[in-house]
Amino acid sequence: MKTEKKKDTIKELEKKLWTAADKLRKKVEVHDYKYVVLGLIFLRYISYAFDQKKKELEERFSNSESEFYIKDPEERKEALKDKDFYLEEGVLYVPEEAHWDYLRRNAHKENIGQLINRAIEILEENYPEKLKDVVPKIYTDPRVNLSHEDLAYLIDLFTDIEFGDGHKARDIFGEVYEYFLGKFAEVEGKRGGEFYTPRSLTRLIVKVLDVKCGTIFDPACGSGGFFVSALKKLEEEGEDRYCLEIHGQEAKPLPWKLCKMNLAIRGVTGDIRLGDTYHDDKFINERFDYVVANPPFNDSKWGADKVNPNDPRYKYGVPPDNNGNFAWIQIFIYHLKPTGKAGFVMANGALSVGGIEEEIRKKIIEDDLVYGIVACPPKLFTNVSLPVSVWFCRKQKPEHMKGKVLFIYAKDMYEPVSRKQVTFTEEHIERIAEKFRLFEQGASEEEINEIGFAKVATIDEIREKGYVLTPGRYVGIKLDEDDATFEEKMKEYSRELSELLKKEEELTEKVKEVFKALGFEI
């Protein structure tokens, strides 16, 4: 019961903060306002984390029974300024003019915008590798149409909230940050999906992959949602969050900044690099235990003509320039360690598309790299109804999984969030993950298969169905419009058109007969 109460409290806090902060949004373009608000949450948190750590160190240094005891008061004071004591535990030392209390005390001065920008500069100067160009210095930008009173309002808003102590506070800061990310994505519509993946999807993928300690990589990381879900899973299972090495790449500077802040809010860092993964893979020589992603769907003009003929990532062929889906799929597979696993979101077209992409899909299937496909309901993404599927791949399958793929039809599993959006609940995620657990553990197909929901199919069966990976074809349900291949759709459209033309011909003859009976010839 206490856990539920805590969740409700956090939800109330999130809504309160959003409702209050949203009052100013009408004055500013949401694209800019997002960074104003999230930047302030970031500054608020690092000061909080610093204060908590400083308090712990003071207790250690002044306790005569502690191995860290420092007898001399002046030496003790100097030790509290040693950055290394803080950095060892993922906390940044925050100088006075960059501290939240300093901003709070000066919040109602006319130059508060300059003071916020200066606080960010000070942090960049102290931690260039971690924070250089991460938090946008936009608090005096004329395009950000916020007065010093508006900025003071936001500072007061985040100051007045009691976040609590220890890990609980860090989690609350993280959840508030994620909540704001989601709300901004909702407001921005389709554009917001570029940096934000619905948490139910990241959680599903992390759960099915059963992410443990090791290395994780997202080559299209956006604001870092997969990393957040992985860290949360480790904490829930009592694992050390620092045992997971985080690596990511993002093509656009602003989502890259969001990701760096998102990790810092949780007291962790990652190797997050800026660059175009298609043609400038910053991790080209590295392999990982887990590869996760929600790449741009159906990316047209992705640069097929710029691909180096010797690029080892496009082993199965270079996809056409009008769609980069199979460029991404090959990149994910390439970056896996021999024992690694990948889980990623993909537009449904990749399951059945023809042409060059079909040839690439055939080779991937024949090389036994796919071990699971989940058909998802539409409207999982904010303001985007595009139906998606989740793919799971691995370089080397255990013996009992070789030549087999688990198909899950989860299109009917969802809970409405609004008229425009749905989500997977924890129960839905657990039900899907359980099927994958059984599959991984070598359970019999009788235990796994469930008509209308789950089916383990062989590569021979997939071959018979023309290498189409649409789950509805295997689990035993009537195919949806979205599940049909292009050829099947055209056959159906041709049949319907033929019937309509026939009916038109019959009606024309009847009309002629009526006119003839009235003494008129047509």
Side-chain angles (χ1 to χ4, degrees):
M1 287 299 290
K2 286 184 179 179
T3 304
E4 280 304 312
K5 190 173 180 183
K6 178 188 171 185
K7 285 183 180 177
D8 290 339
T9 302
I10 292 172
K11 284 180 181 177
E12 289 168 11
L13 169 63
E14 291 167 343
K15 287 178 182 176
K16 179 180 177 182
L17 288 172
W18 174 259
T19 302
D22 194 45
K23 288 179 181 177
L24 301 181
R25 187 169 54 82
K26 61 181 178 294
K27 299 180 65 175
V28 189
E29 287 291 332
V30 66
H31 182 64
D32 294 316
Y33 188 55
K34 173 173 68 215
Y35 295 99
V36 171
V37 172
L38 294 174
L40 289 175
I41 294 175
F42 173 79
L43 291 172
R44 170 81 165 88
Y45 173 74
I46 62 167
S47 292
Y48 161 81
F50 167 70
D51 289 344
Q52 291 295 307
K53 184 52 59 182
K54 185 178 180 182
K55 186 179 176 183
E56 284 180 29
L57 291 173
E58 283 176 336
E59 290 174 358
R60 283 190 212 169
F61 297 158
S62 58
N63 183 354
S64 59
E65 296 182 5
S66 167
E67 60 178 308
F68 299 100
Y69 175 61
I70 300 175
K71 186 176 181 179
D72 185 270
E74 287 304 313
E75 286 184 27
R76 197 183 305 156
K77 190 182 292 185
E78 285 303 308
L80 288 171
K81 296 178 184 177
D82 189 335
K83 292 180 184 178
D84 290 339
F85 282 116
Y86 300 88
L87 288 174
E88 281 175 7
E89 297 185 53
V91 174
L92 303 183
Y93 179 88
V94 182
E96 170 64 18
E97 289 186 10
H99 198 282
W100 186 263
D101 279 348
Y102 178 81
L103 297 177
R104 177 185 57 78
R105 291 196 304 271
N106 292 282
H108 293 269
K109 291 183 178 178
E110 290 189 10
N111 68 335
I112 184 59
Q114 288 98 320
L115 294 179
I116 297 171
N117 282 347
R118 179 57 190 147
I120 296 167
E121 287 174 358
I122 290 169
L123 291 168
E124 285 183 336
E125 290 163 6
N126 278 269
Y127 304 100
E129 290 184 7
K130 294 178 183 290
L131 294 179
K132 182 65 176 171
D133 297 325
V134 170
V135 185
K137 297 184 285 290
I138 56 175
Y139 295 90
T140 57
D141 192 321
R143 292 172 303 171
V144 180
N145 184 32
L146 294 177
S147 66
H148 69 276
E149 289 97 344
D150 295 330
L151 292 174
Y153 170 79
L154 290 172
I155 290 172
D156 289 343
L157 174 67
F158 290 114
T159 298
D160 289 344
I161 301 301
E162 179 54 54
F163 287 98
D165 296 321
H167 292 293
K168 177 184 173 184
R170 185 194 63 217
D171 291 341
I172 292 174
F173 268 106
E175 289 191 44
V176 168
Y177 187 89
E178 284 294 299
Y179 178 78
F180 270 65
L181 276 176
K183 294 300 286 184
F184 281 122
E186 184 180 317
V187 171
E188 290 192 87
K190 187 174 182 180
R191 183 180 181 184
E194 293 178 0
F195 65 84
Y196 184 79
T197 304
R199 285 302 151 257
S200 65
L201 270 178
T202 62
R203 193 155 172 79
L204 170 66
I205 290 172
V206 163
K207 190 111 174 175
V208 169
L209 292 178
D210 194 23
V211 173
K212 304 285 189 188
C213 296
T215 56
I216 188 168
F217 176 52
D218 183 344
C221 65
S223 59
F226 280 102
F227 304 141
V228 171
S229 287
L231 292 169
K232 192 171 181 65
K233 178 181 180 293
L234 290 174
E235 285 189 355
E236 289 171 351
E237 296 174 354
E239 297 282 350
D240 179 4
R241 63 190 0 244
Y242 298 109
C243 74
L244 187 67
E245 293 180 25
I246 295 170
H247 307 263
Q249 183 164 336
E250 172 54 45
K252 297 182 179 179
L254 294 179
W256 173 81
K257 294 172 197 262
L258 289 175
C259 182
K260 298 272 279 188
M261 285 193 280
N262 207 358
L263 293 177
I265 285 288
R266 289 165 172 80
V268 297
T269 56
D271 185 359
I272 313 299
R273 304 180 190 179
L274 188 61
D276 171 18
T277 300
Y278 287 131
H279 308 103
D280 184 22
D281 192 329
K282 302 294 185 182
F283 297 88
I284 190 68
N285 296 317
E286 298 186 44
R287 304 294 186 275
F288 304 92
D289 295 303
Y290 308 101
V291 175
V292 291
N294 169 33
F297 297 154
N298 306 322
D299 200 1
S300 61
K301 297 183 180 179
W302 64 274
D305 57 325
K306 299 176 187 174
V307 171
N308 183 329
N310 299 317
D311 193 323
R313 299 174 304 163
Y314 304 115
K315 174 182 177 181
Y316 299 104
V318 178
D321 198 46
N322 65 355
N323 196 312
N325 288 344
F326 276 91
W328 284 113
I329 291 172
Q330 292 184 85
I331 288 169
F332 304 146
I333 292 170
Y334 169 84
H335 276 291
L336 286 175
K337 286 182 178 179
T339 55
K341 297 190 283 188
F344 50 90
V345 186
M346 187 54 57
N348 274 1
L351 300 171
S352 59
V353 67
I356 297 171
E357 293 156 290
E358 180 181 13
E359 291 304 312
I360 296 173
R361 187 175 65 248
K362 281 182 183 179
K363 293 172 186 175
I364 289 171
I365 293 168
E366 288 292 353
D367 273 4
D368 205 11
L369 295 168
V370 181
Y371 77 93
I373 302 284
V374 179
C376 300
K379 299 183 181 180
L380 277 175
F381 285 83
T382 306
N383 292 339
V384 180
S385 60
L386 180 72
V388 300
S389 50
V390 176
W391 293 47
F392 294 98
C393 297
R394 57 198 303 166
K395 283 268 182 79
Q396 295 176 4
K397 294 180 182 178
E399 196 63 37
H400 65 272
M401 290 172 65
K402 286 182 178 176
K404 297 176 182 178
V405 177
L406 173 59
F407 289 96
I408 299 285
Y409 186 87
K411 284 193 171 186
D412 299 327
M413 295 172 63
Y414 60 85
E415 180 177 276
V417 175
S418 66
R419 186 173 57 84
K420 294 182 179 179
Q421 191 179 13
V422 303
T423 187
F424 284 128
T425 65
E426 283 301 308
E427 289 74 19
H428 296 147
I429 291 170
E430 182 54 39
R431 188 179 173 204
I432 295 168
E434 176 60 20
K435 290 295 183 182
F436 277 94
R437 269 196 293 273
L438 290 171
F439 188 37
E440 298 252 10
Q441 291 167 2
S444 67
E445 291 184 17
E446 288 73 20
E447 290 179 83
I448 301 170
N449 292 349
E450 187 177 329
I451 294 175
F453 178 59
K455 162 75 170 155
V456 175
T458 64
I459 289 181
D460 284 338
E461 290 176 84
I462 296 170
R463 200 179 289 125
E464 287 171 13
K465 294 185 185 294
Y467 296 95
V468 171
L469 294 175
T470 307
R473 296 179 166 274
Y474 300 91
V475 302
I477 60 160
K478 183 180 182 297
L479 286 179
D480 292 343
E481 177 75 10
D482 293 328
D483 292 331
T485 64
F486 175 78
E487 290 77 10
E488 287 170 334
K489 287 178 182 178
M490 289 307 296
K491 284 179 183 177
E492 181 62 20
Y493 295 154
S494 298
R495 184 188 62 76
E496 290 177 2
L497 181 59
S498 178
E499 288 180 4
L500 287 171
L501 291 173
K502 187 176 179 181
K503 285 180 182 178
E504 182 191 22
E505 191 177 327
E506 291 172 357
L507 286 171
T508 301
E509 288 303 315
K510 286 181 180 179
V511 170
K512 285 181 179 180
E513 289 174 10
V514 170
F515 272 78
K516 189 174 182 181
L518 295 172
F520 296 95
E521 290 289 339
I522 296 179

